[in-house]
Amino acid sequence: VHGGQGFGMLELGIALEEFGRELAGGPFFASACLASFAIQNCANQDECADLLPGLAAGDVIATLGVDAGLAVNGDRLSGRLPWCIDPANASLLLIGTGDALYAVDAGEASVEAAEAVDLTRKYGHIVLDGARGRRLGLGRDVATGLQKTIRQAVVALSAEQVGAAARCLDEALAYVKERLQFGRPVGGFQAVKHRAADAYAALELARSASYWAWWVVANDSDDLAEAAPVVKSLCCDAFRTAAHENIHLHGGYGFTWEHDAHLYYRRASANEILLGSAVEHRAELAAVLGLTS
């Protein structure tokens, strides 16, 4: 309807999984996932028709920042949104204030570069000082739309995590099959097998949950409230385990700066707090399931 290839979350998940394998940086996640989801969930039809074609064509790069504490005076926004994904490359900033969403031209804001533990994804702090914003979705329940956006983005992030965790395990297994110790591949030793098996078990559990969550988003199912915290928890655990084992199964080589293993571990560490930590999502899941008093 608004450009693009006509694909949904299932096809997007496949692409994101491959991006995760390569630790792809760039603005794709911020623009095609965060910003696109926010517009679809919060804006009205005319606003979608105005904003989405540029994103679909790649002519416009956008990102999303949400902070309920921003100062709003009419159509002017002031405040600081820390740790936004790739704001330096964005020409369009979508700013959520909790119950409202504003489209802000990047020229109205300034971006402070952020030095993050993840060296493969760019972060920045968006600073607004009376920036003019166009309010989107008047008459719509924007607060619910933003909540849905974050949950969908968590599912999209899970696809990246599955791909990255799989790459870590592949690299580790390839190494232990060729690294010789006492005249035999180290992969033949039981202790090494156990570490690899534990990582594989965590990965396959996370993969199954992630694929289910893609289906939930693609079908706009009410199960999203459960799917998002489930995949955030499982995929964070799986990626962290696989990245950790990738370093250790490579031995001393895996601890060197020149090896890519540390880049995957850094991405895993950053993803653990991106869009809410696994602990926060487990608490959210407990609340959704009525397990809290």
Side-chain angles (χ1 to χ4, degrees):
V1 178
H2 302 300
Q5 300 295 316
F7 295 140
M9 186 62 221
L10 297 179
E11 294 82 7
L12 180 60
I14 293 170
L16 288 168
E17 190 173 353
E18 292 305 310
F19 284 157
R21 288 186 65 88
E22 301 301 323
L23 289 187
F28 184 86
F29 183 81
S31 195
C33 297
L34 282 171
S36 177
F37 292 159
I39 293 170
Q40 293 176 71
N41 293 329
C42 300
N44 60 40
Q45 286 299 315
D46 289 341
E47 292 161 348
C48 286
D50 179 35
L51 297 172
L52 288 175
L55 292 179
D59 297 329
V60 176
I61 295 174
T63 192
L64 172 69
V66 179
D67 189 340
L70 287 179
V72 181
N73 183 9
D75 63 349
R76 299 285 183 170
L77 307 176
S78 297
R80 187 171 181 268
L81 294 93
W83 298 107
C84 297
I85 300 177
D86 211 24
N89 287 324
S91 56
L92 174 66
L93 306 175
L94 295 173
I95 308 298
T97 62
D99 60 354
L101 180 67
Y102 293 85
V104 177
D105 186 275
E108 293 277 333
S110 60
V111 174
E112 300 173 353
E115 214 173 298
V117 66
D118 183 2
L119 302 180
T120 57
R121 172 170 275 154
K122 294 185 181 298
Y123 294 86
H125 313 310
I126 298 175
V127 180
L128 306 171
D129 185 10
R132 188 186 302 277
R134 170 190 174 191
R135 186 166 183 176
L136 305 177
L138 287 173
R140 295 196 64 181
D141 185 355
V142 173
T144 299
L146 287 172
Q147 182 185 56
K148 182 178 181 181
T149 295
I150 297 302
R151 286 171 172 167
Q152 290 175 330
V154 165
V155 173
L157 184 66
S158 78
E160 274 195 3
Q161 291 173 301
V162 166
R167 178 62 177 271
C168 288
L169 189 57
D170 289 347
E171 293 288 334
L173 292 178
Y175 183 77
V176 298
K177 287 177 182 178
E178 67 179 23
R179 175 70 168 90
L180 300 179
Q181 188 72 37
F182 304 111
R184 59 184 290 193
V186 297
F189 295 111
Q190 190 175 48
V192 173
K193 290 180 180 180
H194 285 176
R195 300 186 77 146
D198 287 344
Y200 179 75
L203 169 61
E204 289 307 302
L205 182 60
R207 191 196 304 274
S208 296
S210 183
Y211 287 6
W212 165 65
W214 301 0
W215 181 92
V216 167
V217 173
N219 289 275
D220 200 20
S221 169
D222 292 337
D223 288 336
L224 180 61
E226 296 179 21
V230 166
V231 295
K232 177 63 171 178
S233 303
L234 293 177
C235 291
C236 279
D237 290 349
F239 188 11
R240 181 182 64 250
T241 299
H244 175 88
E245 296 301 348
N246 188 33
I247 290 174
H248 284 271
L249 292 178
H250 273 86
Y253 181 38
F255 284 84
T256 63
W257 186 263
E258 290 78 9
H259 196 278
D260 286 345
H262 74 99
L263 297 176
Y264 285 87
Y265 190 80
R266 286 169 176 271
R267 174 68 73 90
S269 299
N271 281 0
E272 285 191 337
I273 57 175
L274 181 61
L275 303 175
S277 70
V279 172
E280 292 170 330
H281 280 275
R282 286 189 173 101
E284 180 183 343
L285 179 60
V288 169
L289 296 176
L291 300 178
T292 57
S293 56

